[in-house]
């Protein structure tokens, strides 16, 4: 055989070779093939390599070229230099051949009648790691590797087979074929020369095969960025893109080019858009460069096409048999996106590969690994989660008592990204509220003007409260801290009101961020916060003047977070992540009770419905926890219920004596929850499901947020699924209570729908955030499928769902009426009789200024000293006392049992009866606020009274003047010493509790500073629970096992 | 994995089931929707006996001097005042009254709209006038309204028609008056637009001045601001063929109207004028209750803003000389208004009478006694429900309790049938106030004697929605 061996010329193209060069030459010197000649082509090295070649391989020929025009141009020089050889072995200067490589390649070339034969390329330093075993390509020229980066060679690819592309590090080419094709395309200076040659060879009818028995080590210096690019070429990425496109433009016949080119263009545009959006300027430049570079070489391309046309033996349909379907680059991008998240997807595969290699985590995709040929820029379509690891396609659920591994926490967001997002949020809120910032809030519904700080403090101390006929009944303790706060703001209670009202939105968002923080997904936390801001509840509360809903919006996430901590469920348990630590560091229940009690007290003193809402949220969370956790849910449920009930008791004590007076009054339920709406007048299902019961967000798009919140129920695992279910427990509870209230089935329990929707907003936002967390941490466990599709739909839903609020921000005032009843009702005082007067207010509870008692479902009433009430009327108390008699008088008129209501009202000095029919005055051409008319029978009854004179010209409210003169008002405003004693005692309790809590927190802070935080530790090192299963399941075993 | 999947499925299924269940429940049982419109059953409703005060507004007396008749069916004497204010300007007069238990007292009122203020409730008030055309009494209004509808009036053939509008409240009012004529369509006389009415003021408009020679004029009084009471005083020339009536208007169109007793006497005519004041067409079903049972109903089609006159004598389904009850019903929203004109051959006084129908849906009625000088002839009760009803006619005892009169306790009435109760010493219907209590909606009519055909001089009845005595 040796006598018959055809001649082979090994062509080594070199340029300033490094220290490995001798080893390369040595590998050629030790080849067992007898008819092998070696030609070293030096492409413009600074230092002449001839002495080095002569030392190792004295028989080799050296040819020095004047410049480095790239591998292709240098290799083409062989066409005029070599004759009589049957094959050419074209090699880089950083390869190391096993001794039988030439032998095997030549033998296989003849056996398979192949034009080009590729060896198996392995890593230079670690030959057990595969680099390339032949390659494929998609229709757009993107190269697809057959092996995973870092894949261990177990012989799994050791079979001769046809491939589309022989990687350019080392390939055996039939000499006549190389000559017929005219060698490489010299315009392809790097990254694509091999693809160009192989594609044209296939078009010319030659086979390209891989012979894995021949093994070649490859250093890939150019890809590592350790060698300069030839001829001032742009980046490797740019070279790759432009050469891919060039090859596509040359190799396809006209028909197929017409079909493929638009697809390539479309993908390029998509990639360009993504690159621009993610700030990847290098990628964007590469995409644009590919098209401009090829456009400028139109004539050259036409010539190349013409030359190939003459050599074409196979049609494109036959050539494409070895191509992969679809877009390899798009598929790889989506896989990275779904498997590793945005950062990995946009950082490129190189970073991911580096990360995985650094953490012994194989299976990374590579896109631009940086080899001098396209081979190293391949996309590994075959990459899969490594067998035996978490990515085996099974979404594990922790068995009872068993620890399942938790995916590694998602990478943190960069500071600039967070700053950008928060800046946008702040800007949107500022733009949306710009009109409210400049002017005062209108006096309407719950946004009534706040009295002076001195008045607030006076009411706090004396207990005097104005609603009803006045009296010395305890008023909300909120008057105390609010009075102090107004004093600290320079005595401007109006400024304080604006700060608190508008501050509810960021406080709620902050609470949401705190609630989502333990889930160890910075993006999930951010998304949850954004979703909470995108839910229309807060803006509708502003537009409808619902102070209670605004405060509930601010407080609900904090309350849920407290309940979550109390539940001791992962990830809120104190020792989350370590079973031993969990057992030793369970959250003390008493502390949870006191902490939630303080929070609930603050919540309830501002909104009396706060206590009810807290208990309602507890019920929602508990039912869902039982449903999702089964019997193991009893413990967290017991803890939550105990905490909620205990906290309510604590809050009751902290709010004494007001709380006890509230519970003792005849109208306690109304005072604690609100006035019921008339049956059938509540929000419809459409509004409830969208959480949009006001003007903001009144669009079908807001369904998107709710749809997005359902994602974690479908794809989340472990505690994310548990909390997704509990979040939906909140949502469903809110909806159900709203519905039963609207149906009139809840008797006196009548929390305003907007207030009830605050927990639902928390649930939806938490669901959306958990969806993001599940996307980052749970989706890696699944192959591409419906889960990914659902994720895309959820993301689209969330994005669309936020649009209505963004659109609402454009108005600058969240649809809050410009003018309130403050101006419209100013005349009441102007026409006041001597000796003072009172005003009877009637109206729908949704438009009622301040708080009121229930006259009948759908109609609230209150009596004020003077005209429009101030904000302290929101805490109206549960004992109407004399005002109850007034209500009975109105009922008499309604039932046609009197036509002289004025006579009856003259007793309590009621000079005006105001029936509020709209949220704010209706001013034609200026503002048209929401209308909430009272039942017609009430209006008819009042207008039929023989002693009430309607005041013409009012719109939005009907005003009647009592013709019957009344007595002057007199009242004893002195509070008892008992009241003051209890009050001061409670203040002392407040001071002690807050001091103890603060000291406890600071102690914890010191301790936490003394040792790394658990979360921080998790983010840097893998927990034992994570490492254990990996070592058992073979995470450290060579990749590809079981493939 | 399986456990996770099963719990995930359970969660999703539970959520879907909950929502589906709620949606289904919402659709099936749903929230009770608010009842539409606050239109009272009638413009004259007897208030609860325990009311602290009540008022009746007698606008018709602004057109002609007469009297108010206060009927007190209760056991406690009721006191009050009658304040009369002449139309335009002029001094108001106030007269006190005391109505003994089970009695009817008359308070003469000079020409001027009157407000009857009652220190309490449980009484019914009529406005009555006597003249050459006989005597007529109609309920005063117990409520004010923004609109008033009258199906019929006539200025042809020497008939006089006066519309009186009274603002009894302290709030000023402005009203428009318009007509729907069978010959000229809707008419808005400029003089009747924007009529201001100060507190307590009334105005009497002689329709002859602006719409003469109109055989049938439907009237609408609408306020631009404030609330008023309106009445039409219709008068036929005497002697020979005279008559006069106060037509109490309807504060709102209604879906059903009924007349309990009618009779197509020889030489006389009975006309029913159906008025559709709305802007949508109405299909009206006319149901007849004959002594032999219910006749097949027939249908009238009314375009928007139109009237239709049905001559009972030309209806072959109505046998001549036989009493019958009649009911007009429509499903059109908001409804219709119906007036009856009963005319005898001319030998009786009055020979012609106008009366408004009774709104359907009333189960309890307080029937006033016949005015002095007349005697009761019959009390007719007709079942307006689709099923049988039990009817009890109750008289008031001195102790205030209402007890069933002999022969009139729980009388079962088949649908469309008529129950007629003749007065007797044991059943003093017409001599003193009686209450008709039925288990379903009924219409009642008390006719005095001697009189022309039923309907020419019927005695008023008030719907009862609260307790008496």
């Amino acid at each position: 055989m040796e006598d018959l061996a055809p001649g082979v010329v090994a062509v080594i193209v070199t340029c300033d070779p490094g220290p490995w060069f001798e080893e390369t030459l040595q590998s050629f010197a030790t080849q067992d093939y007898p008819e092998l000649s070696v030609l070293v082509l030096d492409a413009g090295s600074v230092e002449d390599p001839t002495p080095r070649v002569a030392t190792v391989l004295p028989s080799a020929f050296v040819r020095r070229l004047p410049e480095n025009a790239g591998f292709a141009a240098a290799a083409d020089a062989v066409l005029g230099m070599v004759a009589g050889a049957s094959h050419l072995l074209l090699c880089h200067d950083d390869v190391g051949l096993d001794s039988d490589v030439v032998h095997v390649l030549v033998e296989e070339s003849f056996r398979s009648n192949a034009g080009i034969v590729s060896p198996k390329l392995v890593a230079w330093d670690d030959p057990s790691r595969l680099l390339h075993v032949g390659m494929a390509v998609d229709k757009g020229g993107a190269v697809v590797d057959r092996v995973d980066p870092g894949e261990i060679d177990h012989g799994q690819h050791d079979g001769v087979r046809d491939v589309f592309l022989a990687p350019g590090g080392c390939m055996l080419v039939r000499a006549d074929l190389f000559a017929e094709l005219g060698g490489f395309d010299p315009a392809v200076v790097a990254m694509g020369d091999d693809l160009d040659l192989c594609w044209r060879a296939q078009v010319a009818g030659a086979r390209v095969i891989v012979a894995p028995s021949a093994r070649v080590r490859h250093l890939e210096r150019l890809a590592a960025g350790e060698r300069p690019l030839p001829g001032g070429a742009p980046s490797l990425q740019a070279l790759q893109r432009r050469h891919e496109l060039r090859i596509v433009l040359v190799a396809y016949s006209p028909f197929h080019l017409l079909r493929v080119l638009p697809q390539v263009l479309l993908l390029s545009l998509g990639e360009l858009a993504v690159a621009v959006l993610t700030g990847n300027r290098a990628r964007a430049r590469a995409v644009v460069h590919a098209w401009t570079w090829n456009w400028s070489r139109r004539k050259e391309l036409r010539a190349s096409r013409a030359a190939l046309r003459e050599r074409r033996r196979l049609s494109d349909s036959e050539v494409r048999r070895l191509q992969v379907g679809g877009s390899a680059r798009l598929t790889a991008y989506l896989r990275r996106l779904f498997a590793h998240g945005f950062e990995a997807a946009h950082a490129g595969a190189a970073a991911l590969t580096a990360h995985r290699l650094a953490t012994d985590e194989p299976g990374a995709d590579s896109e631009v690994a940086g080899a001098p040929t396209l081979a190293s820029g391949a996309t590994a379509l075959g990459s899969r989660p490594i067998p035996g690891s978490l990515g085996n396609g099974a979404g594990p659920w922790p068995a009872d008592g068993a620890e399942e591994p938790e995916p590694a926490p998602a990478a943190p967001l960069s500071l600039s990204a967070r700053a950008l997002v928060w800046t946008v949020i702040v800007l949107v809120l500022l733009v949306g509220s710009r009109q409210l910032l400049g002017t005062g809030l209108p006096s309407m519904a719950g946004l009534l003007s706040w009295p002076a700080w001195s008045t607030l403090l006076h009411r706090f101390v004396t207990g005097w409260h104005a609603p009803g006929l006045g009296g010395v009944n305890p008023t909300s303790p909120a008057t105390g801290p609010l009075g102090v706060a107004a004093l600290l703001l320079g005595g401007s209670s109006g400024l304080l009101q604006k700060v608190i009202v508008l501050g509810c939105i960021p406080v709620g968002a902050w609470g949401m961020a705190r609630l989502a923080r333990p889930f160890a997904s910075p993006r999930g936390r951010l998304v949850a916060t954004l979703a909470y801001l995108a839910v229309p509840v807060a803006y509708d509360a502003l537009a409808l003047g619902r102070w209670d809903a605004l405060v509930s919006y601010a407080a609900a996430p904090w309350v849920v977070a407290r309940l979550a901590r109390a539940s001791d469920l992962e990830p809120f348990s104190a020792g989350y992540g370590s079973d031993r630590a969990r057992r030793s560091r369970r959250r003390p229940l008493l502390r949870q009770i006191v902490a939630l009690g303080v929070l609930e007290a603050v919540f309830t003193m501002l909104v009396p419905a706060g206590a009810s809402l807290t208990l309602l949220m507890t019920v929602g969370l508990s039912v869902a926890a039982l449903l999702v956790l089964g019997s193991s849910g009893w413990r967290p449920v017991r803890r939550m219920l105990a905490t909620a009930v205990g906290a309510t008791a604590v809050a009751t004590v902290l709010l004494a004596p007001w709380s006890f007076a509230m519970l003792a009054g005849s109208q306690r339920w109304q005072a604690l929850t609100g006035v019921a709406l008339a049956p059938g007048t509540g929000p419809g299902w459409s509004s409830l499901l969208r959480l949009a019961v006001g003007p903001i967000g009144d669009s079908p798009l807001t369904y998107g947020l709710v749809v997005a919140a359902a994602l974690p129920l479908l794809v989340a695992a472990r505690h994310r699924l548990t909390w997704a279910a509990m979040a939906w427990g909140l949502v469903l509870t809110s909806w159900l209570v709203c519905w039963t209230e609207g149906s009139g089935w809840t008797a006196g329990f009548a929390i305003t729908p907007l207030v009830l929707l605050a927990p639902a907003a928390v649930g939806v936002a938490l669901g959306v955030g958990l969806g993001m967390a599940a996307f980052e941490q749970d989706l890696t466990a699944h192959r591409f499928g419906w889960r990914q599709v659902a994720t895309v739909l959820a993301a689209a839903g969330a994005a669309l769902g936020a649009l209505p609020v963004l659109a609402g921000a454009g108005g600058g005032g969240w649809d809050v009426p410009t003018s309130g009843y403050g101006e419209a009702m100013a005349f009441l005082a102007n026409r006041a009789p001597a000796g003072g007067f009172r005003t009877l207010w009637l109206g729908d509870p949704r438009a009622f200024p301040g708080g009121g008692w229930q006259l009948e479902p759908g109609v609230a009433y209150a009596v004020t000293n003077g005209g429009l009430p101030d904000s302290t009327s929101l805490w109206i108390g549960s004992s109407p006392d004399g005002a109850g008699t007034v209500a009975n008088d109105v009922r008499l008129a309604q039932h046609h049992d009197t036509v002289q209501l004025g006579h009856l009202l003259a007793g309590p000095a009621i000079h005006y009866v105001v029936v509020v029919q709209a949220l704010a005055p209706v001013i034609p051409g200026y503002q048209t606020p929401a209308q909430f008319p009272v039942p017609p029978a009430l209006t008819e009854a009042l207008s039929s009274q023989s002693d009430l004179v309607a005041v013409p010209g009012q719109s939005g409210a009907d005003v009647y003047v009592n013709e019957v003169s009344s007595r002057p008002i007199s009242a004893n405003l002195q509070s008892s010493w008992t009241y003051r004693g209890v009050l001061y005692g409670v203040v002392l309790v407040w001071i002690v509790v807050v001091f103890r809590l603060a000291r406890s927190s600071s102690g914890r802070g010191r301790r936490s500073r003394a040792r790394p935080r658990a979360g921080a530790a998790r983010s840097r090192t893998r927990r034992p629970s994570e490492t254990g299963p990996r070592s058992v399941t073979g995470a450290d075993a060579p990749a590809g096992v079981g493939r | 994995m399986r456990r996770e999947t099963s719990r995930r499925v359970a969660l999703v299924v539970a959520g879907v089931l909950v929502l589906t269940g709620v949606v289904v429940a919402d659709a099936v049982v749903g929230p009770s929707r608010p009842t539409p419109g606050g239109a009272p059953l009638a413009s004259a409703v007897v208030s609860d006996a325990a009311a602290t005060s009540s008022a009746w507004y007698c606008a018709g007396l602004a057109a002609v001097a007469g009297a108010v008749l206060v009927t007190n069916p209760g056991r406690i004497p009721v006191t009050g005042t009658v304040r009369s204010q002449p139309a335009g300007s002029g001094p108001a007069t106030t007269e006190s009254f005391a109505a003994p238990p089970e009695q009817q007292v008359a308070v003469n009122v000079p020409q001027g709209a009157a407000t009857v203020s009652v220190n309490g409730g449980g009484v019914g008030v009529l406005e009555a006038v006597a003249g050459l055309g006989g005597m007529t009494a109609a309920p005063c209004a117990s409520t004010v309204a923004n609109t008033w509808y009258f199906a019929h009036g006539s200025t042809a053939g020497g008939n006089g028609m006066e519309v009186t509008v009274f603002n009894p409240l302290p709030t000023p009012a402005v009203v428009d008056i318009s007509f729907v004529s069978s010959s000229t369509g809707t008419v808005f006389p400029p003089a009747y637009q924007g009529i201001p009415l100060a507190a307590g003021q009334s105005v009497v408009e002689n329709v002859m001045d602006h719409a003469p020679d109109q055989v049938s004029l439907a009237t609408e009084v609408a306020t631009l601001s404030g609330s008023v009471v309106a009445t039409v005083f219709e008068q036929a020339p005497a002697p020979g063929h005279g008559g006069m009536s106060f037509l109490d208007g309807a504060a709102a169109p209604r879906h059903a109207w009924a007349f309990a007793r009618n009779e197509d006497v020889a030489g006389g005519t009975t006309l029913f004028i159906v008025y559709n004041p709305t802007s949508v067409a109405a299909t009206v079903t006319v149901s007849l209750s004959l002594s032999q049972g219910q006749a097949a109903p027939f249908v009238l089609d009314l375009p928007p803003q139109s009237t239709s006159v049905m001559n009972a004598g030309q209806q072959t389904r109505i046998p001549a000389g036989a009493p019958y009850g009649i009911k007009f019903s429509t499903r059109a929203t908001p409804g219709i208004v119906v007036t009856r004109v009963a005319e005898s051959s001319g030998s009786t006084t009055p020979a012609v009478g106008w009366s408004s129908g009774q709104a359907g849906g009333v189960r309890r009625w307080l029937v006033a006694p016949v005015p002095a000088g007349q005697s009761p002839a019959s009390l007719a009760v007709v079942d307006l429900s689709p099923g049988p009803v039990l009817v009890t006619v109750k008289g008031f005892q001195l102790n205030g309790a209402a007890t069933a009169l002999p022969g009139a306790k729980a009388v079962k009435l088949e649908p469309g049938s008529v129950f007629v109760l003749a007065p007797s010493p044991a059943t003093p219907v017409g001599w003193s106030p009686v209450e008709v209590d039925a288990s379903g909606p009924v219409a009642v009519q008390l006719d005095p004697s001697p009189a022309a055909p039923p309907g020419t001089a019927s005695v008023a009845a008030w719907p009862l929605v609260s307790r008496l005595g």
Side-chain angles (χ1 to χ4, degrees), chain A residues 678-689:
Chain A
T681 60
W685 268 111
S686 168
S687 300
L688 289 180
L689 293 180

PDB file of all heavy atoms in Angstrom, chain A residues 678-689:
ATOM      1  N   ALA A 678     -76.333  49.977  46.839  1.00  0.00           N
ATOM      2  CA  ALA A 678     -77.647  49.467  46.480  1.00  0.00           C
ATOM      3  C   ALA A 678     -77.464  48.202  45.650  1.00  0.00           C
ATOM      4  O   ALA A 678     -76.541  48.136  44.830  1.00  0.00           O
ATOM      5  CB  ALA A 678     -78.417  50.516  45.678  1.00  0.00           C
ATOM      6  N   PRO A 679     -78.309  47.202  45.862  1.00  0.00           N
ATOM      7  CA  PRO A 679     -78.159  45.961  45.091  1.00  0.00           C
ATOM      8  C   PRO A 679     -78.162  46.255  43.596  1.00  0.00           C
ATOM      9  O   PRO A 679     -78.992  47.022  43.097  1.00  0.00           O
ATOM     10  CB  PRO A 679     -79.381  45.142  45.503  1.00  0.00           C
ATOM     11  CG  PRO A 679     -79.760  45.674  46.838  1.00  0.00           C
ATOM     12  CD  PRO A 679     -79.417  47.126  46.812  1.00  0.00           C
ATOM     13  N   GLY A 680     -77.241  45.629  42.939  1.00  0.00           N
ATOM     14  CA  GLY A 680     -77.192  45.787  41.482  1.00  0.00           C
ATOM     15  C   GLY A 680     -76.429  46.993  40.999  1.00  0.00           C
ATOM     16  O   GLY A 680     -76.307  47.196  39.792  1.00  0.00           O
ATOM     17  N   THR A 681     -75.913  47.796  41.902  1.00  0.00           N
ATOM     18  CA  THR A 681     -75.187  48.989  41.458  1.00  0.00           C
ATOM     19  C   THR A 681     -73.676  48.836  41.622  1.00  0.00           C
ATOM     20  O   THR A 681     -72.935  49.756  41.320  1.00  0.00           O
ATOM     21  CB  THR A 681     -75.635  50.231  42.245  1.00  0.00           C
ATOM     22  OG1 THR A 681     -75.367  50.011  43.636  1.00  0.00           O
ATOM     23  CG2 THR A 681     -77.098  50.498  42.055  1.00  0.00           C
ATOM     24  N   GLY A 682     -73.248  47.696  42.109  1.00  0.00           N
ATOM     25  CA  GLY A 682     -71.816  47.476  42.258  1.00  0.00           C
ATOM     26  C   GLY A 682     -71.154  47.257  40.913  1.00  0.00           C
ATOM     27  O   GLY A 682     -71.824  47.180  39.883  1.00  0.00           O
ATOM     28  N   PRO A 683     -69.831  47.178  40.918  1.00  0.00           N
ATOM     29  CA  PRO A 683     -69.130  46.970  39.655  1.00  0.00           C
ATOM     30  C   PRO A 683     -69.454  45.616  39.052  1.00  0.00           C
ATOM     31  O   PRO A 683     -69.683  44.641  39.775  1.00  0.00           O
ATOM     32  CB  PRO A 683     -67.650  47.063  40.063  1.00  0.00           C
ATOM     33  CG  PRO A 683     -67.629  46.810  41.522  1.00  0.00           C
ATOM     34  CD  PRO A 683     -68.920  47.298  42.060  1.00  0.00           C
ATOM     35  N   GLY A 684     -69.484  45.564  37.762  1.00  0.00           N
ATOM     36  CA  GLY A 684     -69.779  44.315  37.065  1.00  0.00           C
ATOM     37  C   GLY A 684     -68.571  43.399  37.048  1.00  0.00           C
ATOM     38  O   GLY A 684     -67.466  43.774  37.449  1.00  0.00           O
ATOM     39  N   TRP A 685     -68.811  42.205  36.563  1.00  0.00           N
ATOM     40  CA  TRP A 685     -67.735  41.217  36.536  1.00  0.00           C
ATOM     41  C   TRP A 685     -66.577  41.669  35.675  1.00  0.00           C
ATOM     42  O   TRP A 685     -65.424  41.395  35.963  1.00  0.00           O
ATOM     43  CB  TRP A 685     -68.283  39.875  36.050  1.00  0.00           C
ATOM     44  CG  TRP A 685     -68.734  39.034  37.181  1.00  0.00           C
ATOM     45  CD1 TRP A 685     -69.999  38.695  37.501  1.00  0.00           C
ATOM     46  CD2 TRP A 685     -67.903  38.429  38.191  1.00  0.00           C
ATOM     47  NE1 TRP A 685     -70.012  37.933  38.643  1.00  0.00           N
ATOM     48  CE2 TRP A 685     -68.738  37.749  39.076  1.00  0.00           C
ATOM     49  CE3 TRP A 685     -66.534  38.418  38.419  1.00  0.00           C
ATOM     50  CZ2 TRP A 685     -68.253  37.062  40.180  1.00  0.00           C
ATOM     51  CZ3 TRP A 685     -66.050  37.730  39.521  1.00  0.00           C
ATOM     52  CH2 TRP A 685     -66.900  37.051  40.386  1.00  0.00           C
ATOM     53  N   SER A 686     -66.896  42.312  34.607  1.00  0.00           N
ATOM     54  CA  SER A 686     -65.822  42.769  33.718  1.00  0.00           C
ATOM     55  C   SER A 686     -64.882  43.694  34.469  1.00  0.00           C
ATOM     56  O   SER A 686     -63.654  43.549  34.393  1.00  0.00           O
ATOM     57  CB  SER A 686     -66.431  43.476  32.507  1.00  0.00           C
ATOM     58  OG  SER A 686     -65.439  44.153  31.802  1.00  0.00           O
ATOM     59  N   SER A 687     -65.449  44.631  35.210  1.00  0.00           N
ATOM     60  CA  SER A 687     -64.604  45.561  35.961  1.00  0.00           C
ATOM     61  C   SER A 687     -63.834  44.846  37.063  1.00  0.00           C
ATOM     62  O   SER A 687     -62.660  45.116  37.296  1.00  0.00           O
ATOM     63  CB  SER A 687     -65.467  46.668  36.565  1.00  0.00           C
ATOM     64  OG  SER A 687     -66.125  47.379  35.559  1.00  0.00           O
ATOM     65  N   LEU A 688     -64.517  43.933  37.743  1.00  0.00           N
ATOM     66  CA  LEU A 688     -63.847  43.235  38.842  1.00  0.00           C
ATOM     67  C   LEU A 688     -62.681  42.411  38.331  1.00  0.00           C
ATOM     68  O   LEU A 688     -61.590  42.426  38.904  1.00  0.00           O
ATOM     69  CB  LEU A 688     -64.846  42.341  39.569  1.00  0.00           C
ATOM     70  CG  LEU A 688     -65.903  43.034  40.423  1.00  0.00           C
ATOM     71  CD1 LEU A 688     -66.807  42.007  41.083  1.00  0.00           C
ATOM     72  CD2 LEU A 688     -65.245  43.893  41.486  1.00  0.00           C
ATOM     73  N   LEU A 689     -62.908  41.687  37.253  1.00  0.00           N
ATOM     74  CA  LEU A 689     -61.841  40.824  36.747  1.00  0.00           C
ATOM     75  C   LEU A 689     -60.652  41.638  36.282  1.00  0.00           C
ATOM     76  O   LEU A 689     -59.513  41.196  36.366  1.00  0.00           O
ATOM     77  CB  LEU A 689     -62.365  39.958  35.591  1.00  0.00           C
ATOM     78  CG  LEU A 689     -63.419  38.912  35.964  1.00  0.00           C
ATOM     79  CD1 LEU A 689     -63.843  38.128  34.734  1.00  0.00           C
ATOM     80  CD2 LEU A 689     -62.882  37.964  37.018  1.00  0.00           C
TER      81      LEU A 689
END
